[in-house]
Amino acid sequence: MRDRGTERVITEGDIDSFFDEAEIELLQSNIAVEAIEFMRDVMKKELVNKKIKRRGAEKLISEAMERALLGLVDHGKADIEKVIKESKKQGKPACLVFLGFNGAGKTTSIAKVARWLIDRGYSVVLAAGDTFRAASIEQLEHHGRKLGVNVIKHQYGSDSAAVIFDARKHAGSKGIDVVLADTAGRMHTDKNLADELKKIIRVNQPDLKVLLIDSLTGNDAVEQAKMFHEMVGVDCVIMAKTDVNKKGGSILSVSYAIQKPILFLGTGQEYGDIKKFNPERFVKDLME
Ligand SMILES: Nc1nc2c(ncn2[C@@H]2O[C@H](COP(=O)(O)OP(=O)(O)O)[C@@H](O)[C@H]2O)c(=O)[nH]1
Ligand SMILES: [Mg+2]
C-alpha cells in the first residue's frame, strides 16, 4: 500500500496478495476457483483507490469480503409457499420435482419437505418417480406411511413422467396442495437419465425443479449442478448432509455456478433436520 502519512491507498496488488494468502484456505473450504475470482473482482471494485487509515484496513477488508461472499450466494429467494399459493390461485396443485444423483438425498429430502409443508398446513402427495433404483418405491412408501400421506406409484421400470402425471391428477381431483415428485438419479454417463428427466419436465411442467446436492461431494458439486442445470434448468437447490460436512464453500460455489438460490439445508437424517437457507446469516457464520 502506498503511504500518505497516516493514510494509505489500497491498490489492486493489495487485493491480489490478500487473495494469494487466502486462496488455499478458501479452496480448502470448497469454494470453487471461479467463485474466488468473482470475489476478487468484487473486492477490487469496492476497495481499489480507497483511502484508509492504517487501523481501519482489516475491518474494511473483512466487510468487503462479507459482501463478496454474499454476492456468491444471494440469488433471490426460492419461496416454496408462494409457489404453492400461486398454483392454488390457478386451481391446480403445485408440482415440485426433485433431481439429483443417487444418494444425494432426494427421497429423504422429499420426506422432510413433506413434513415441513404439513406442519404449515399444506396437504401433500408423493410421486414415486424413481422407478429405476431397487427399493426406491418402498423407501418412499415407508415415508408416506410415517407421514400419513399418499404415495402414487407404478411398477419398477415404468415411465416416470406418467407416475408424476398421475400424482398431479390425483392431487387435482382431491384438492391436495402439493405434489412432491421423486426421480431416478443414475450416473453421469447415462444418457437415458437426461432423456427421462427432460420428458418428466415436458410432460409435467413442474413449478419448481429442486436439485439435491450432497455436501460431501466437495468440488464435484459444482460440475453436478451445472450438468443438471444444462439438462433441465434448475430453479433452486437443497444441500443435503450439511451436518456431516461443515465446510460451507460448496454451498456458495453451487449457488454461484448456476446463479440459483439455495432453498434448504439438510442437517441430519430425521424429518425435522431441514433448515431454510438464509444467505445473510450463512455468510455471517462463515466469517466467524
Ligand atoms: N446426515 C445426513 N444424512 C442424510 C441427509 N439427507 C440424506 N441423508 C442420507 O443420505 C442417504 C441417501 O439419501 P436418499 O434420500 O436415499 O438419496 P437419493 O438416492 O437421492 O434418494 C440416506 O442414508 C439418507 O439418510 C442429511 O441432511 N444429513
Ligand atoms: Mg431415492
Side-chain angles (χ1 to χ4, degrees), residues 33-227:
V33 174
E34 54 194 6
I36 296 174
E37 287 313 305
F38 167 84
M39 289 171 64
R40 190 197 294 259
D41 287 347
V42 168
M43 287 182 65
K44 279 184 181 171
K45 274 192 197 108
E46 265 202 42
L47 295 178
V48 168
N49 288 330
K50 272 231 169 104
K51 287 179 191 168
I52 48 161
K53 299 243 191 275
R54 222 172 260 290
R55 287 265 167 79
E58 209 168 290
K59 185 161 178 273
L60 198 70
I61 287 177
S62 86
E63 282 172 359
M65 179 91 166
E66 195 172 317
R67 280 190 291 274
L69 285 166
L70 195 58
L72 289 175
V73 81
D74 200 3
H75 301 293
K77 285 218 164 64
D79 193 336
I80 187 168
E81 289 188 86
K82 195 171 150 199
V83 166
I84 296 169
K85 280 171 189 150
E86 271 165 18
S87 293
K88 211 169 185 147
K89 262 190 240 157
Q90 295 167 33
K92 66 179 185 80
C95 178
L96 277 60
V97 169
F98 289 65
L99 310 160
F101 284 133
N102 278 346
K106 290 180 297 299
T107 309
T108 310
S109 300
I110 284 172
K112 290 178 183 179
V113 171
R115 166 56 63 78
W116 192 90
L117 289 169
I118 292 163
D119 287 349
R120 280 156 186 78
Y122 299 100
S123 52
V124 177
V125 65
L126 310 182
D130 182 354
T131 62
F132 182 76
R133 197 184 200 187
S136 61
I137 299 175
E138 287 80 4
Q139 190 192 357
L140 202 65
E141 285 184 306
H142 165 79
H143 290 307
R145 270 192 304 277
K146 280 178 77 175
L147 293 163
V149 300
N150 274 334
V151 177
I152 305 302
K153 60 168 183 174
H154 293 180
Q155 286 170 345
Y156 283 101
S158 62
D159 182 7
S160 180
V163 180
I164 298 169
F165 188 85
D166 274 0
R168 287 172 49 229
K169 221 165 59 184
H170 172 88
S173 70
K174 298 263 194 258
I176 291 168
D177 301 319
V178 193
V179 175
L180 301 178
D182 206 355
T183 63
R186 285 157 295 194
M187 289 312 290
H188 310 231
T189 47
D190 193 339
K191 280 218 182 80
N192 293 326
L193 177 61
D195 291 343
E196 179 165 304
L197 295 181
K198 281 177 183 156
K199 184 172 180 192
I200 288 171
I201 304 309
R202 193 171 63 241
V203 170
N204 292 289
Q205 300 289 314
D207 300 286
L208 276 184
K209 288 162 278 177
V210 183
L211 176 64
L212 253 297
I213 297 280
D214 178 343
S215 306
L216 296 169
T217 316
N219 294 324
D220 203 32
V222 165
E223 295 315 312
Q224 285 188 15
K226 283 181 178 167
M227 198 199 98

